[in-house]
Amino acid sequence: RYCRRGNIGVLTGDDGVFVIDSQFANTAPKNLSKINEISGSAPTYLVNTHWHGDHTGGNANFGATIIAHENVRVRLSTDQRTVLLGNERTTPAAAPAARPVITFNETLSLHLNGQTISIFHAPAAHTDGDAIVHFKDANVIQLGDVFSPGRFPFIDISSGGSLDGTIAALTTVLDLCNGETVVIPGRGPLSNISDIQASRDMLVDVREIILRAIADGMSADEAVTENLLADLEADWGGGVISAEIFTRLIYDDLSRNTSVPEVTRVSPPSSAEEVN
């Protein structure tokens, strides 16, 4: 079943309870009750995969040490203006207790509960502060909203996101996956390498289609009228982002720079700062 709330990851053990994302403030009591049922205690560490409220809204309620990319702290510390197709929304700055206290720029490694956890930045993907969490020993990867299984994704251009960055991030994750890897998306069902590959391939196709339309001098309205993503809509248009919205979103993104080089993978550095 496709979940509209952000997925939460939990790792338990003698070193404490490690949690990924916190959903909303009003869902925090139920989530904390479930975490306690699983682990017998409250969260010790909390990683935010990005700044959006469906992944950070419960931060202050969790009472954990919050970890995130530096840009997440910046965005949670100031009022944020989000724009989608001319519709604007302002999100007030989060309370100090909801802001990350440990931040990183590229990578961070933690060694908890018998697991090596690699957290790395996916630049300009869903936002400018996306963190991908890789449980190397368990062969589990949690992506946040960089990955939307079976759906056109929302790419928050006003928060520094981009199509090219999203493709690059999924390419990197493919390099880390094998047939046994469990992939936890930002929302929606548990996924695997085939789901990641399908999503990446779809985005590459969309990129080619929209870039061609821009090169041909087609306007965004004309691109929508021509229904350029019609062949993809049945498989990918069942979520919040329809083919029309996605066409306009990606047109807006790519039209800012039509001389974009071929996208490549994001390479997590071989060494990382460690927190033991």
Side-chain angles (χ1 to χ4, degrees):
R1 185 174 63 86
Y2 196 76
C3 180
R4 292 183 181 273
R5 294 176 179 170
N7 287 325
I8 293 177
V10 181
L11 171 69
T12 67
D14 293 339
D15 296 326
V17 182
F18 177 83
V19 177
I20 304 171
D21 286 335
S22 63
Q23 287 189 0
F24 300 102
N26 63 2
T27 63
K30 180 180 290 187
N31 288 327
L32 287 168
S33 177
K34 188 64 177 180
I35 291 170
N36 185 69
E37 179 183 324
I38 294 169
S39 64
S41 60
T44 310
Y45 303 98
L46 170 63
V47 172
N48 291 148
T49 57
H50 60 288
W51 77 269
H52 289 155
D54 55 337
H55 295 261
T56 64
N59 279 8
N61 306 76
F62 275 45
T65 297
I66 303 172
I67 303 169
H69 187 266
E70 179 64 26
N71 288 341
V72 174
R73 178 175 172 83
V74 171
R75 291 192 178 278
L76 289 180
S77 300
T78 57
D79 293 353
Q80 292 300 301
R81 175 176 169 267
T82 304
V83 181
L84 176 60
L85 306 179
N87 297 315
E88 182 177 327
R89 181 179 67 184
T90 298
T91 303
R99 302 171 191 172
V101 297
I102 297 176
T103 61
F104 66 98
N105 286 320
E106 299 298 334
T107 64
L108 180 69
S109 291
L110 297 92
H111 304 275
L112 299 169
N113 301 327
Q115 294 288 323
T116 298
I117 307 166
S118 174
I119 308 173
F120 62 93
H121 182 217
H126 175 60
T127 67
D128 61 7
D130 297 298
I132 293 175
V133 184
H134 184 199
F135 298 89
K136 293 184 175 181
D137 304 286
N139 198 15
V140 174
I141 301 177
Q142 186 156 341
L143 283 78
D145 286 344
V146 170
F147 171 51
S148 298
R151 301 291 188 269
F152 290 128
F154 169 48
I155 297 174
D156 189 354
I157 298 172
S158 58
S159 293
S162 71
L163 175 63
D164 285 348
T166 302
I167 293 172
L170 295 182
T171 302
T172 296
V173 172
L174 283 172
D175 289 347
L176 299 174
C177 286
N178 58 38
E180 303 301 318
T181 305
V182 175
V183 177
I184 305 174
R187 50 173 53 73
L190 293 178
S191 303
N192 56 38
I193 188 172
S194 297
D195 300 316
I196 295 286
Q197 185 72 61
S199 185
R200 182 196 179 278
D201 290 349
M202 178 273 292
L203 294 177
V204 170
D205 288 344
V206 169
R207 182 179 189 271
E208 180 178 348
I209 291 167
I210 301 301
L211 278 178
R212 188 183 307 121
I214 294 170
D216 289 343
M218 193 176 292
S219 69
D221 287 340
E222 289 169 337
V224 169
T225 299
E226 290 294 324
N227 198 10
L228 297 181
L229 304 185
D231 291 343
L232 299 171
E233 186 166 16
D235 291 331
W236 300 94
V240 174
I241 306 297
S242 66
E244 176 180 347
I245 292 174
F246 201 55
T247 298
R248 292 186 183 278
L249 178 66
I250 300 307
Y251 187 100
D252 186 24
D253 177 24
L254 295 179
S255 63
R256 295 177 300 169
N257 180 12
T258 56
S259 59
V260 182
E262 186 65 26
V263 293
T264 56
R265 72 187 295 273
V266 178
S267 298
S270 57
S271 61
E273 180 183 357
E274 296 187 356
V275 175
N276 294 289

